[in-house]
Amino acid sequence: MTRATVAQALVSFLANQYTERDGVRRRLFAGCFGIFGHGNIAGIGQALLQAGDELRYYQARNEQAMVHTAAAYARVSDRLSTFACTSSVGPGATNMVTGAAGATINRLPVLLLPGDVFATRPADPVLQQLQTASAGDVSVNDCLRPVSVWFDRIMRPEQLLDAAPAAMRALTDPAATGAVTLALPQDVQAEAYDWPAAFTVPRVWPVRRAVADPESLAEAVAAIRAAHRPLIVAGGGVRYSAATGALAGFAAATGIPVAETQAGKGSLRHDHPGAVGAIGATGSTAANALAAEADLVLGIGTRFADFTTASHTAFADPDVRFVNVNVCAADAVRLSGLAVLADARRALEQLTGALAGWQVPDAYRRRAADLTAAWSSTVDRAYRLGHAPLPAQSEVIGAVNEAATDADIVVCAAGSMPGDLHKLWRAGAPRQYHVEYGYSCMGYEIAGGLGAKLAIGAEGEVFVLVGDGSYLMMAQELVTAVAEGVKLIVVLVDNAGFASIGALSETVGAPRFGTWYRYRDEGGGLTGDVLPTDLAANAASLGAAVCEVSTVDELRSALAAARRGERTTVIRIATDPLVPAPDSAAWWDVPVAETAGLAATVTARREYEQAKQAQRHYL
């Protein structure tokens, strides 16, 4: 037995947890991010101080941001390693809700350790305690319940003996991982208990690879053999299961073209003969044309989210069938598909063997190649548009793409850039493309870039693409990067507004309303002169090296210089928000006001109703 506080025991427990897959073992927790207050400094704070490098502490600047950083680290680590995040009680805890939602929606493991109000209740209410008239055991941490895949509140020391392993089980579940919350009352954190020695001995959590059962595998093989125009949709599960090599082999052997979701982009190299690009509302015309014609869709590690299916309009063949390979049963049955419950790599290996000698028709292979070549020419033009006086966003993406090696990572999140990246980025390696689009969370970019860089270390550079809207939401983790000596190359695309919603507003009959960063005009609207924000000066004040450029050639030179440098660098470039990326020839369902007094809205509604006629249920 070891006498220690709850916090000390928990920190020691976390330091001794490991994952193992394919014979490779790694620490489950690379460290703990934290911001301290009265609700966690005496407990978790003291324990981390005492533990030292047993579980390294990293100081964050915003609680939401540190969860994003942990999630990004987990993504680059194929969900086999992550960080814990601790906050004080109250606003520190509620700040983590958005980050937790993003982690759970994207199925990325993150452990949250928020402080909580006194379990013993010596005084009531205490600072930052939520009081309700209907319950005495509710705190603000209950906001974390719906965004956590596992939640527990440790009211007694001995509860940790069961709760901690339960939390690890949820974090290492490949089918249903996400944010895990252990709420820790501040008095319980500091309470001593006699812990069994077995609680803190090293423990390994194996991540097994499930194989497809013979019956579902046989049905899948029969369905593929019967298809004339099959299409693979590769999702994040391909990357997380390290199945990219198996997918490349399967695509080469069968000739089935491969389209990629946001989470799955990079599953194939962009120049693989089977790669047809991104699919869906932010996809390529090549992938979307093949999707419209497909008589069978083989989904691998995808949940067929709204953007992927173009709001249920992408797959237009009236007799289209779906075969879904997934470790998650709920995802495997989407679109009324044949469920193949299996690890993506194992299933692809099984399918490759079972389909030996079978290939798609030559004419179909040629059509896929022709469509892809046409789209590649479109990307070339977008990268070299030569727009003036301000460059187009697609040209900025092209410059970063050319600067990035296969060992590097590009990080982005909400706004117009994720959609443009999905269409245009030419991924050379599975981990090179890192876009948070499950939650589309503004502010993820710099914090996520920090997590990505912590994961790859000196193996490559991390390029963060962030618009001015997202930058203004959450830029302060530049300070954390500087403090930790973690080098980021941040390309700050400044277009004086919210470009994505600005473009969307045009299609829903609310043209550019509330999307510019401008002074209020005499008529009461926000259409006056552009606000005099100096984001470059802001970045410099946070400790970053800063470079301002005005042309794409200058951007290329700045990117090369930033690569040679040793400091976090922010490169600010102004772009024209009114130059769209090439059209994906796909639709996204965003309802338009059914009645309106604005002509633009009336027209938008008419177009919406026409587009909605193509929407269908896949039964």
Side-chain angles (χ1 to χ4, degrees):
M1 307 290 279
T2 301
R3 187 76 172 171
T5 68
V6 168
Q8 292 161 0
L10 177 58
V11 166
S12 182
F13 173 87
L14 297 179
N16 283 288
Q17 303 305 299
Y18 296 84
T19 60
E20 185 175 87
R21 187 175 70 179
D22 301 332
V24 178
R25 183 175 299 184
R26 66 180 72 193
R27 291 186 67 167
L28 177 53
F29 297 99
C32 181
F33 281 98
I35 297 176
F36 295 117
H38 72 279
N40 66 339
I41 184 62
I44 293 293
Q46 187 279 334
L48 288 169
L49 172 64
Q50 183 171 299
D53 279 346
E54 183 184 11
L55 188 69
R56 176 171 290 189
Y57 164 68
Y58 292 82
Q59 185 183 55
R61 271 73 194 171
N62 177 280
E63 291 88 357
Q64 176 184 329
M66 68 188 182
V67 182
H68 291 327
T69 300
Y73 184 95
R75 176 172 174 171
V76 176
S77 303
D78 290 337
R79 306 191 297 191
L80 298 171
S81 185
T82 186
F83 275 84
C85 298
T86 182
S87 78
S88 186
V89 63
T94 52
N95 278 353
M96 293 200 291
V97 173
T98 297
T104 294
I105 286 170
N106 288 292
R107 296 181 182 168
L108 296 170
V110 178
L111 178 62
L112 309 183
L113 303 174
D116 212 325
V117 297
F118 282 86
T120 53
R121 304 181 186 177
D124 200 34
V126 297
L127 181 64
Q128 298 177 335
Q129 179 178 354
L130 174 72
Q131 280 191 293
T132 68
S134 60
D137 63 346
V138 173
S139 81
V140 296
N141 286 339
D142 288 278
C143 295
L144 288 160
R145 288 182 183 271
V147 295
S148 299
V149 296
W150 171 259
F151 180 99
D152 202 354
R153 181 176 281 115
I154 310 303
M155 302 295 286
R156 292 288 308 142
E158 55 267 33
Q159 290 176 339
L160 190 63
L161 295 170
D162 292 321
M168 301 307 105
R169 183 273 310 163
L171 288 168
T172 57
D173 183 349
T177 191
V180 169
T181 299
L182 292 180
L184 302 168
Q186 54 187 303
D187 53 345
V188 176
Q189 288 181 49
E191 187 174 346
Y193 183 75
D194 291 321
W195 301 95
F199 181 63
T200 54
V201 299
R203 179 166 180 174
V204 177
W205 298 85
V207 180
R208 307 295 189 197
R209 294 188 180 276
V211 298
D213 67 89
E215 292 81 4
S216 61
L217 181 68
E219 288 185 54
V221 169
I224 294 170
R225 286 185 178 276
H228 300 286
R229 300 176 304 279
L231 176 69
I232 293 170
V233 176
V238 174
R239 294 176 53 182
Y240 296 139
S241 65
T244 55
L247 176 62
F250 179 73
T254 63
I256 303 177
V258 178
E260 297 170 326
T261 70
Q262 274 280 12
K265 190 170 176 71
S267 295
L268 283 189
R269 282 187 57 92
H270 71 92
D271 53 2
H272 186 285
V276 297
I279 191 170
T282 56
S284 71
T285 53
N288 286 334
L290 294 170
E293 301 167 4
D295 58 357
L296 181 130
V297 178
L298 174 58
I300 306 175
T302 177
R303 53 185 168 174
F304 287 106
D306 180 40
F307 264 44
T308 300
T309 67
S311 300
H312 279 211
T313 64
F315 308 109
D317 188 299
D319 299 316
V320 65
R321 298 180 62 190
F322 296 85
V323 174
N324 302 328
V325 175
N326 211 294
V327 293
C328 176
D331 291 340
V333 297
R334 292 193 185 270
L335 309 185
S336 302
L338 166 64
V340 181
L341 280 173
D343 170 80
R345 194 167 93 182
R346 288 287 181 263
L348 282 165
E349 291 167 348
Q350 291 177 279
L351 287 169
T352 301
L355 288 166
W358 179 89
Q359 292 187 338
V360 300
D362 288 343
Y364 182 60
R365 192 194 297 261
R366 287 194 298 272
R367 172 157 172 73
D370 290 345
L371 288 167
T372 304
W375 178 254
S376 182
S377 296
T378 299
V379 175
D380 287 339
R381 289 191 295 273
Y383 277 8
R384 304 282 177 175
L385 203 58
H387 186 73
L390 295 177
Q393 185 165 273
S394 64
E395 297 176 88
V396 173
I397 291 172
V400 177
N401 204 163
E402 291 165 5
T405 70
D406 289 357
D408 299 333
I409 296 176
V410 62
V411 177
C412 191
S416 60
M417 269 193 292
D420 291 356
L421 282 163
H422 193 211
K423 293 177 184 178
L424 303 176
W425 186 267
R426 289 166 166 159
R431 77 178 185 188
Q432 188 192 57
Y433 185 85
H434 183 125
V435 171
E436 192 290 293
Y437 218 40
Y439 201 38
S440 188
C441 185
M442 297 180 74
Y444 174 90
E445 295 90 341
I446 293 172
L450 175 61
K453 183 61 174 175
L454 285 169
I456 66 170
E459 294 178 14
E461 302 290 354
V462 171
F463 294 90
V464 175
L465 275 168
V466 59
D468 50 330
S470 268
Y471 180 90
L472 286 168
M473 293 274 184
M474 194 173 295
Q476 65 271 20
E477 295 315 303
L478 284 173
V479 179
T480 304
V482 170
E484 293 290 346
V486 176
K487 177 189 170 186
L488 303 176
I489 301 175
V490 180
V491 179
L492 173 53
V493 180
D494 192 345
N495 49 38
F498 298 118
S500 175
I501 298 304
L504 179 64
S505 69
E506 300 276 6
T507 69
V508 298
R512 302 287 163 177
F513 179 70
T515 62
W516 295 114
Y517 287 163
R518 296 177 182 267
Y519 285 106
R520 192 169 296 279
D521 57 35
E522 293 181 359
L526 297 174
T527 59
D529 291 338
V530 174
L531 295 174
T533 52
D534 190 339
L535 302 185
N538 175 265
S541 76
L542 298 177
V546 172
C547 178
E548 293 194 78
V549 300
S550 57
T551 69
V552 176
D553 285 340
E554 290 175 354
L555 173 60
R556 292 191 181 99
S557 297
L559 290 168
R563 178 182 284 280
R564 293 191 299 269
E566 297 181 355
R567 295 178 58 194
T568 285
T569 300
V570 174
I571 305 169
R572 183 254 181 198
I573 182 168
T575 61
D576 187 339
L578 300 181
V579 184
D583 187 29
S584 67
W587 183 64
W588 183 35
D589 190 347
V590 179
V592 179
E594 193 167 0
T595 61
L598 297 175
T601 312
V602 173
T603 300
R605 178 67 191 190
R606 183 167 58 249
E607 294 171 350
Y608 172 76
E609 290 175 350
Q610 182 177 355
K612 198 166 175 64
Q613 292 176 15
Q615 201 170 33
R616 59 180 289 195
H617 292 288
Y618 297 101
L619 302 174

Short mmCIF file of all heavy atoms in Angstrom, two decimals, residues 135-183:
data_model
loop_
_atom_site.label_atom_id
_atom_site.label_comp_id
_atom_site.label_asym_id
_atom_site.label_seq_id
_atom_site.Cartn_x
_atom_site.Cartn_y
_atom_site.Cartn_z
N ALA A 135 -31.44 20.73 -7.88
CA ALA A 135 -30.49 19.65 -7.58
C ALA A 135 -29.31 20.19 -6.81
O ALA A 135 -28.86 21.31 -7.03
CB ALA A 135 -30.01 18.99 -8.88
N GLY A 136 -28.80 19.38 -5.90
CA GLY A 136 -27.66 19.80 -5.10
C GLY A 136 -26.34 19.24 -5.57
O GLY A 136 -25.29 19.62 -5.07
N ASP A 137 -26.38 18.31 -6.54
CA ASP A 137 -25.16 17.64 -6.97
C ASP A 137 -24.76 18.02 -8.40
O ASP A 137 -23.99 17.31 -9.04
CB ASP A 137 -25.31 16.13 -6.87
CG ASP A 137 -26.41 15.59 -7.78
OD1 ASP A 137 -27.22 16.39 -8.28
OD2 ASP A 137 -26.45 14.35 -7.98
N VAL A 138 -25.27 19.13 -8.91
CA VAL A 138 -24.94 19.58 -10.26
C VAL A 138 -23.87 20.66 -10.18
O VAL A 138 -23.96 21.57 -9.35
CB VAL A 138 -26.20 20.13 -10.97
CG1 VAL A 138 -25.82 20.75 -12.31
CG2 VAL A 138 -27.22 19.01 -11.18
N SER A 139 -22.87 20.55 -11.04
CA SER A 139 -21.87 21.61 -11.17
C SER A 139 -21.73 21.93 -12.65
O SER A 139 -22.29 21.25 -13.52
CB SER A 139 -20.52 21.18 -10.58
OG SER A 139 -19.80 20.36 -11.48
N VAL A 140 -20.96 22.96 -12.96
CA VAL A 140 -20.78 23.31 -14.38
C VAL A 140 -20.12 22.19 -15.16
O VAL A 140 -20.24 22.10 -16.38
CB VAL A 140 -19.96 24.61 -14.54
CG1 VAL A 140 -20.70 25.79 -13.93
CG2 VAL A 140 -18.56 24.47 -13.95
N ASN A 141 -19.43 21.28 -14.45
CA ASN A 141 -18.81 20.16 -15.15
C ASN A 141 -19.82 19.25 -15.82
O ASN A 141 -19.47 18.50 -16.73
CB ASN A 141 -17.96 19.34 -14.18
CG ASN A 141 -16.66 20.05 -13.83
OD1 ASN A 141 -16.21 20.92 -14.56
ND2 ASN A 141 -16.08 19.69 -12.70
N ASP A 142 -21.07 19.31 -15.38
CA ASP A 142 -22.09 18.50 -16.04
C ASP A 142 -22.29 18.92 -17.49
O ASP A 142 -22.84 18.16 -18.29
CB ASP A 142 -23.40 18.56 -15.26
CG ASP A 142 -23.32 17.77 -13.96
OD1 ASP A 142 -23.50 16.55 -14.01
OD2 ASP A 142 -23.04 18.38 -12.91
N CYS A 143 -21.83 20.12 -17.85
CA CYS A 143 -21.84 20.54 -19.26
C CYS A 143 -20.97 19.62 -20.11
O CYS A 143 -21.17 19.53 -21.33
CB CYS A 143 -21.34 21.97 -19.41
SG CYS A 143 -22.37 23.23 -18.65
N LEU A 144 -20.02 18.96 -19.48
CA LEU A 144 -19.12 18.09 -20.22
C LEU A 144 -19.70 16.71 -20.49
O LEU A 144 -19.15 15.94 -21.29
CB LEU A 144 -17.79 17.96 -19.47
CG LEU A 144 -16.90 19.21 -19.49
CD1 LEU A 144 -15.88 19.18 -18.36
CD2 LEU A 144 -16.20 19.33 -20.84
N ARG A 145 -20.80 16.38 -19.85
CA ARG A 145 -21.39 15.04 -20.04
C ARG A 145 -21.74 14.75 -21.50
O ARG A 145 -21.33 13.72 -22.05
CB ARG A 145 -22.61 14.86 -19.15
CG ARG A 145 -22.29 14.70 -17.66
CD ARG A 145 -23.56 14.47 -16.85
NE ARG A 145 -23.30 14.40 -15.42
CZ ARG A 145 -23.01 13.27 -14.76
NH1 ARG A 145 -22.94 12.13 -15.42
NH2 ARG A 145 -22.79 13.30 -13.46
N PRO A 146 -22.51 15.61 -22.16
CA PRO A 146 -22.92 15.25 -23.52
C PRO A 146 -21.80 15.28 -24.55
O PRO A 146 -21.97 14.74 -25.65
CB PRO A 146 -23.99 16.30 -23.85
CG PRO A 146 -23.69 17.46 -22.96
CD PRO A 146 -23.15 16.85 -21.70
N VAL A 147 -20.67 15.89 -24.22
CA VAL A 147 -19.56 15.94 -25.17
C VAL A 147 -18.43 14.99 -24.78
O VAL A 147 -17.34 15.05 -25.33
CB VAL A 147 -19.02 17.38 -25.33
CG1 VAL A 147 -20.07 18.27 -25.95
CG2 VAL A 147 -18.55 17.94 -23.99
N SER A 148 -18.70 14.10 -23.83
CA SER A 148 -17.71 13.11 -23.40
C SER A 148 -18.22 11.71 -23.71
O SER A 148 -19.42 11.43 -23.60
CB SER A 148 -17.46 13.21 -21.89
OG SER A 148 -16.95 14.49 -21.53
N VAL A 149 -17.31 10.83 -24.10
CA VAL A 149 -17.70 9.43 -24.30
C VAL A 149 -17.70 8.67 -22.99
O VAL A 149 -18.24 7.56 -22.90
CB VAL A 149 -16.78 8.73 -25.32
CG1 VAL A 149 -16.91 9.38 -26.69
CG2 VAL A 149 -15.32 8.74 -24.87
N TRP A 150 -17.08 9.24 -21.96
CA TRP A 150 -17.13 8.67 -20.61
C TRP A 150 -16.99 9.83 -19.63
O TRP A 150 -16.16 10.72 -19.81
CB TRP A 150 -16.01 7.66 -20.40
CG TRP A 150 -15.88 7.19 -18.97
CD1 TRP A 150 -14.97 7.60 -18.04
CD2 TRP A 150 -16.71 6.24 -18.29
NE1 TRP A 150 -15.17 6.98 -16.84
CE2 TRP A 150 -16.24 6.12 -16.96
CE3 TRP A 150 -17.80 5.47 -18.68
CZ2 TRP A 150 -16.82 5.27 -16.04
CZ3 TRP A 150 -18.38 4.61 -17.74
CH2 TRP A 150 -17.88 4.52 -16.45
N PHE A 151 -17.83 9.83 -18.61
CA PHE A 151 -17.82 10.89 -17.61
C PHE A 151 -17.97 10.26 -16.24
O PHE A 151 -18.80 9.36 -16.04
CB PHE A 151 -18.97 11.86 -17.85
CG PHE A 151 -19.05 13.00 -16.84
CD1 PHE A 151 -18.53 14.25 -17.14
CD2 PHE A 151 -19.63 12.81 -15.59
CE1 PHE A 151 -18.60 15.30 -16.22
CE2 PHE A 151 -19.70 13.84 -14.65
CZ PHE A 151 -19.17 15.09 -14.97
N ASP A 152 -17.18 10.74 -15.29
CA ASP A 152 -17.35 10.31 -13.90
C ASP A 152 -16.91 11.45 -12.99
O ASP A 152 -16.08 12.29 -13.37
CB ASP A 152 -16.53 9.05 -13.61
CG ASP A 152 -17.07 8.26 -12.42
OD1 ASP A 152 -18.01 8.76 -11.74
OD2 ASP A 152 -16.56 7.16 -12.16
N ARG A 153 -17.51 11.49 -11.82
CA ARG A 153 -17.13 12.46 -10.79
C ARG A 153 -16.63 11.68 -9.59
O ARG A 153 -17.34 10.82 -9.05
CB ARG A 153 -18.32 13.35 -10.42
CG ARG A 153 -18.00 14.40 -9.37
CD ARG A 153 -19.19 15.32 -9.12
NE ARG A 153 -19.34 16.34 -10.15
CZ ARG A 153 -20.37 16.42 -10.98
NH1 ARG A 153 -21.35 15.54 -10.92
NH2 ARG A 153 -20.43 17.39 -11.89
N ILE A 154 -15.40 11.94 -9.19
CA ILE A 154 -14.75 11.16 -8.13
C ILE A 154 -15.07 11.79 -6.78
O ILE A 154 -14.42 12.76 -6.35
CB ILE A 154 -13.23 11.08 -8.36
CG1 ILE A 154 -12.92 10.65 -9.79
CG2 ILE A 154 -12.59 10.14 -7.35
CD1 ILE A 154 -13.53 9.32 -10.18
N MET A 155 -16.07 11.26 -6.10
CA MET A 155 -16.51 11.82 -4.83
C MET A 155 -15.79 11.20 -3.63
O MET A 155 -15.81 11.76 -2.54
CB MET A 155 -18.02 11.62 -4.67
CG MET A 155 -18.84 12.23 -5.80
SD MET A 155 -18.72 14.04 -5.84
CE MET A 155 -19.73 14.48 -4.41
N ARG A 156 -15.20 10.03 -3.82
CA ARG A 156 -14.43 9.36 -2.77
C ARG A 156 -13.15 8.81 -3.38
O ARG A 156 -13.13 8.41 -4.54
CB ARG A 156 -15.23 8.19 -2.18
CG ARG A 156 -16.45 8.60 -1.38
CD ARG A 156 -16.07 9.24 -0.06
NE ARG A 156 -15.14 8.39 0.68
CZ ARG A 156 -14.11 8.86 1.39
NH1 ARG A 156 -13.88 10.17 1.45
NH2 ARG A 156 -13.33 8.02 2.04
N PRO A 157 -12.03 8.78 -2.64
CA PRO A 157 -10.78 8.27 -3.20
C PRO A 157 -10.90 6.88 -3.82
O PRO A 157 -10.39 6.64 -4.92
CB PRO A 157 -9.83 8.27 -1.98
CG PRO A 157 -10.35 9.36 -1.10
CD PRO A 157 -11.85 9.29 -1.26
N GLU A 158 -11.58 5.96 -3.16
CA GLU A 158 -11.63 4.59 -3.66
C GLU A 158 -12.37 4.45 -4.98
O GLU A 158 -12.21 3.46 -5.70
CB GLU A 158 -12.24 3.66 -2.61
CG GLU A 158 -13.61 4.06 -2.11
CD GLU A 158 -13.58 4.91 -0.86
OE1 GLU A 158 -12.61 5.71 -0.71
OE2 GLU A 158 -14.50 4.79 -0.04
N GLN A 159 -13.19 5.45 -5.33
CA GLN A 159 -13.87 5.40 -6.63
C GLN A 159 -12.89 5.44 -7.78
O GLN A 159 -13.17 4.93 -8.87
CB GLN A 159 -14.85 6.56 -6.74
CG GLN A 159 -16.06 6.44 -5.83
CD GLN A 159 -16.97 7.67 -5.92
OE1 GLN A 159 -16.54 8.74 -6.34
NE2 GLN A 159 -18.21 7.50 -5.49
N LEU A 160 -11.72 6.05 -7.55
CA LEU A 160 -10.72 6.17 -8.62
C LEU A 160 -10.21 4.80 -9.06
O LEU A 160 -9.80 4.64 -10.21
CB LEU A 160 -9.56 7.05 -8.15
CG LEU A 160 -8.55 7.47 -9.22
CD1 LEU A 160 -9.21 8.35 -10.28
CD2 LEU A 160 -7.38 8.21 -8.58
N LEU A 161 -10.24 3.83 -8.17
CA LEU A 161 -9.73 2.50 -8.50
C LEU A 161 -10.50 1.87 -9.66
O LEU A 161 -9.94 1.10 -10.45
CB LEU A 161 -9.80 1.59 -7.27
CG LEU A 161 -8.90 1.99 -6.09
CD1 LEU A 161 -9.23 1.17 -4.86
CD2 LEU A 161 -7.43 1.82 -6.47
N ASP A 162 -11.77 2.18 -9.77
CA ASP A 162 -12.58 1.68 -10.89
C ASP A 162 -12.68 2.71 -12.01
O ASP A 162 -12.69 2.35 -13.20
CB ASP A 162 -13.99 1.31 -10.41
CG ASP A 162 -13.99 0.10 -9.50
OD1 ASP A 162 -13.22 -0.84 -9.77
OD2 ASP A 162 -14.76 0.10 -8.52
N ALA A 163 -12.78 3.98 -11.64
CA ALA A 163 -13.01 5.01 -12.65
C ALA A 163 -11.82 5.21 -13.58
O ALA A 163 -11.99 5.42 -14.79
CB ALA A 163 -13.35 6.34 -11.96
N ALA A 164 -10.61 5.16 -13.05
CA ALA A 164 -9.43 5.41 -13.88
C ALA A 164 -9.27 4.35 -14.98
O ALA A 164 -9.09 4.69 -16.15
CB ALA A 164 -8.17 5.50 -13.02
N PRO A 165 -9.36 3.05 -14.64
CA PRO A 165 -9.30 2.05 -15.73
C PRO A 165 -10.47 2.18 -16.72
O PRO A 165 -10.28 1.96 -17.92
CB PRO A 165 -9.35 0.71 -14.98
CG PRO A 165 -8.84 1.02 -13.62
CD PRO A 165 -9.34 2.40 -13.32
N ALA A 166 -11.65 2.54 -16.23
CA ALA A 166 -12.77 2.73 -17.14
C ALA A 166 -12.50 3.86 -18.12
O ALA A 166 -12.85 3.78 -19.31
CB ALA A 166 -14.05 3.01 -16.34
N ALA A 167 -11.85 4.91 -17.63
CA ALA A 167 -11.49 6.02 -18.52
C ALA A 167 -10.48 5.57 -19.57
O ALA A 167 -10.58 5.95 -20.74
CB ALA A 167 -10.91 7.17 -17.69
N MET A 168 -9.51 4.75 -19.18
CA MET A 168 -8.52 4.26 -20.14
C MET A 168 -9.18 3.38 -21.19
O MET A 168 -8.82 3.42 -22.38
CB MET A 168 -7.41 3.47 -19.43
CG MET A 168 -6.65 4.25 -18.36
SD MET A 168 -5.95 5.83 -18.90
CE MET A 168 -7.10 6.99 -18.13
N ARG A 169 -10.14 2.58 -20.78
CA ARG A 169 -10.86 1.73 -21.73
C ARG A 169 -11.52 2.58 -22.80
O ARG A 169 -11.44 2.27 -24.00
CB ARG A 169 -11.90 0.90 -20.97
CG ARG A 169 -12.69 -0.11 -21.80
CD ARG A 169 -13.93 0.47 -22.46
NE ARG A 169 -14.76 1.20 -21.52
CZ ARG A 169 -15.70 2.05 -21.90
NH1 ARG A 169 -15.89 2.33 -23.18
NH2 ARG A 169 -16.43 2.69 -21.00
N ALA A 170 -12.15 3.68 -22.40
CA ALA A 170 -12.82 4.55 -23.36
C ALA A 170 -11.81 5.26 -24.27
O ALA A 170 -12.05 5.42 -25.47
CB ALA A 170 -13.68 5.57 -22.63
N LEU A 171 -10.69 5.67 -23.71
CA LEU A 171 -9.69 6.38 -24.51
C LEU A 171 -9.05 5.50 -25.57
O LEU A 171 -8.62 5.99 -26.62
CB LEU A 171 -8.61 6.95 -23.60
CG LEU A 171 -9.01 8.13 -22.71
CD1 LEU A 171 -7.94 8.40 -21.65
CD2 LEU A 171 -9.22 9.39 -23.55
N THR A 172 -8.98 4.21 -25.32
CA THR A 172 -8.30 3.30 -26.24
C THR A 172 -9.27 2.48 -27.08
O THR A 172 -8.85 1.56 -27.78
CB THR A 172 -7.38 2.34 -25.46
OG1 THR A 172 -8.15 1.61 -24.48
CG2 THR A 172 -6.27 3.11 -24.75
N ASP A 173 -10.54 2.83 -27.07
CA ASP A 173 -11.54 2.12 -27.86
C ASP A 173 -11.52 2.67 -29.29
O ASP A 173 -11.91 3.81 -29.53
CB ASP A 173 -12.93 2.34 -27.23
CG ASP A 173 -14.03 1.59 -27.96
OD1 ASP A 173 -13.77 1.07 -29.06
OD2 ASP A 173 -15.15 1.54 -27.44
N PRO A 174 -11.08 1.90 -30.28
CA PRO A 174 -10.99 2.43 -31.65
C PRO A 174 -12.34 2.73 -32.28
O PRO A 174 -12.42 3.49 -33.25
CB PRO A 174 -10.25 1.32 -32.41
CG PRO A 174 -10.53 0.08 -31.63
CD PRO A 174 -10.63 0.51 -30.20
N ALA A 175 -13.41 2.17 -31.74
CA ALA A 175 -14.73 2.38 -32.32
C ALA A 175 -15.44 3.60 -31.75
O ALA A 175 -16.27 4.20 -32.43
CB ALA A 175 -15.60 1.13 -32.10
N ALA A 176 -15.15 3.97 -30.52
CA ALA A 176 -15.96 5.01 -29.88
C ALA A 176 -15.15 5.84 -28.90
O ALA A 176 -15.59 6.11 -27.78
CB ALA A 176 -17.15 4.38 -29.17
N THR A 177 -13.97 6.26 -29.30
CA THR A 177 -13.17 7.10 -28.41
C THR A 177 -13.57 8.57 -28.56
O THR A 177 -14.40 8.93 -29.40
CB THR A 177 -11.66 6.91 -28.68
OG1 THR A 177 -10.92 7.54 -27.63
CG2 THR A 177 -11.26 7.49 -30.01
N GLY A 178 -12.99 9.41 -27.75
CA GLY A 178 -13.30 10.84 -27.75
C GLY A 178 -12.83 11.45 -26.45
O GLY A 178 -11.88 10.96 -25.81
N ALA A 179 -13.49 12.52 -26.04
CA ALA A 179 -13.14 13.15 -24.77
C ALA A 179 -13.64 12.30 -23.61
O ALA A 179 -14.76 11.80 -23.62
CB ALA A 179 -13.74 14.55 -24.69
N VAL A 180 -12.80 12.16 -22.61
CA VAL A 180 -13.14 11.44 -21.38
C VAL A 180 -12.94 12.41 -20.22
O VAL A 180 -11.91 13.08 -20.13
CB VAL A 180 -12.26 10.20 -21.19
CG1 VAL A 180 -12.42 9.61 -19.80
CG2 VAL A 180 -12.58 9.15 -22.26
N THR A 181 -13.93 12.51 -19.36
CA THR A 181 -13.88 13.48 -18.26
C THR A 181 -13.90 12.78 -16.91
O THR A 181 -14.80 11.97 -16.64
CB THR A 181 -15.07 14.46 -18.33
OG1 THR A 181 -15.02 15.17 -19.57
CG2 THR A 181 -15.03 15.45 -17.18
N LEU A 182 -12.93 13.09 -16.09
CA LEU A 182 -12.94 12.72 -14.68
C LEU A 182 -12.99 14.02 -13.88
O LEU A 182 -11.99 14.72 -13.75
CB LEU A 182 -11.69 11.92 -14.30
CG LEU A 182 -11.55 10.52 -14.90
CD1 LEU A 182 -10.25 9.87 -14.44
CD2 LEU A 182 -12.74 9.64 -14.52
N ALA A 183 -14.17 14.37 -13.39
CA ALA A 183 -14.33 15.58 -12.59
C ALA A 183 -13.81 15.32 -11.19
O ALA A 183 -14.17 14.32 -10.56
CB ALA A 183 -15.80 15.99 -12.56
#
